[in-house]
């Protein structure tokens, strides 16, 4: 795991010294040594590398990394260039088109969002190849809860997009009155029709940021 070196280190450094993290580190290290795990080890903390805490404007919470080859690269919902756009992201792009008029791009590489302050955080940061949820319950959830708490403690306007039941359960942690919480069903094809499509979260986020004097997000992902 390539270590976090930017301003995330201060709020998270105490986590690295806790017993659960030692066990998590050993578990993940062992998994990488004996089986195929995604994302590549050097990409595990990309969400933090690409989006320093001081720059976070939006927290978009996912669950598990993609578990097929060449997909996951450390950002929730994003896949590496050249990969098919996953079904949930197809629906995210549909909503962006209907909400803001964005064209549907030919790729699912969301680093442009991360570079603008969208923290693309999964609650679990690693997964065995082709085994969804295989690294749940080993400590990642405690670590990413500490991340969410660090964002909650920021004294400035921040938007949370909580899609699906697991993400919405984190709402109880979000106590900062300066922040905006947006909730919807998950964009998965199994649930998007129950209220994700039509939720207008992207325009609502930008309206909130602009009203707070913060530069809004350019959500358009360009064709490669």
């Amino acid at each position: 795991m390539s270590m976090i070196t930017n301003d995330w280190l201060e709020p998270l450094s105490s986590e690295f010294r806790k017993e659960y993290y030692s066990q998590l580190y050993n578990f993940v290290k062992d998994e990488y040594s004996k089986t195929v795990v995604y994302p590549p080890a050097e990409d595990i903390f990309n969400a933090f590398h690409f989006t320093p805490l001081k720059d976070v404007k939006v927290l978009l919470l996912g669950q598990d990394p993609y578990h097929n080859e060449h997909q996951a690269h450390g950002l929730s919902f994003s896949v590496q260039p050249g990969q098919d756009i996953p079904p949930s992201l197809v629906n995210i792009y549909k909503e962006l088109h209907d909400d803001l008029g964005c064209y549907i791009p030919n790729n699912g590489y969301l680093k442009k969002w991360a570079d603008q302050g969208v923290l693309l955080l999964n609650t679990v940061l690693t997964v065995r190849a082709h085994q969804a949820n295989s690294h749940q319950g080993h400590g990642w959830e405690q670590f990413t809860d500490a991340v969410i708490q660090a964002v909650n403690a920021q004294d400035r306007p921040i938007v949370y997009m909580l899609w699906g039941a697991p993400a919405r359960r984190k709402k109880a942690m979000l106590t900062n009155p300066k922040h905006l919480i947006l909730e919807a069903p998950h964009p998965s094809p199994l649930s998007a029709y129950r209220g994700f499509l039509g939720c207008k979260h992207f325009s609502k986020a930008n309206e909130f940021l602009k009203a707070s004097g913060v530069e809004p997000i350019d959500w358009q992902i360009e064709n490669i």
Side-chain angles (χ1 to χ4, degrees), residues 158-219:
I158 292 173
V159 181
Y160 301 88
M161 294 181 176
L162 306 181
W163 299 339
R168 295 169 85 167
R169 283 195 287 271
K170 304 295 183 185
K171 184 179 180 180
M173 301 168 58
L174 307 177
T175 58
N176 193 321
K178 291 189 175 181
H179 297 175
L180 174 67
I181 301 170
L182 300 174
E183 297 180 78
H186 196 275
S188 158
L190 298 173
S191 55
Y193 63 91
R194 294 205 295 259
F196 173 79
L197 297 173
C199 69
K200 298 192 179 300
H201 279 187
F202 301 102
S203 60
K204 289 175 181 176
N206 277 357
E207 287 163 8
F208 172 79
L209 292 171
K210 284 190 283 189
S212 304
V214 178
E215 184 75 18
I217 306 297
D218 176 6
W219 293 103

Side-chain angles (χ1 to χ4, degrees), residues 140-160:
W140 278 130
E141 295 90 345
Q142 187 170 341
F143 179 76
T144 53
D145 276 358
V147 174
I148 295 167
Q149 288 164 346
V151 176
N152 181 65
Q154 298 302 297
D155 188 30
R156 64 178 194 278
I158 292 173
V159 181
Y160 301 88

Side-chain angles (χ1 to χ4, degrees), residues 113-125:
W113 294 357
D115 290 340
Q116 295 180 82
V118 181
L119 182 63
L120 294 165
L121 180 70
N122 280 318
T123 54
V124 175
L125 300 187

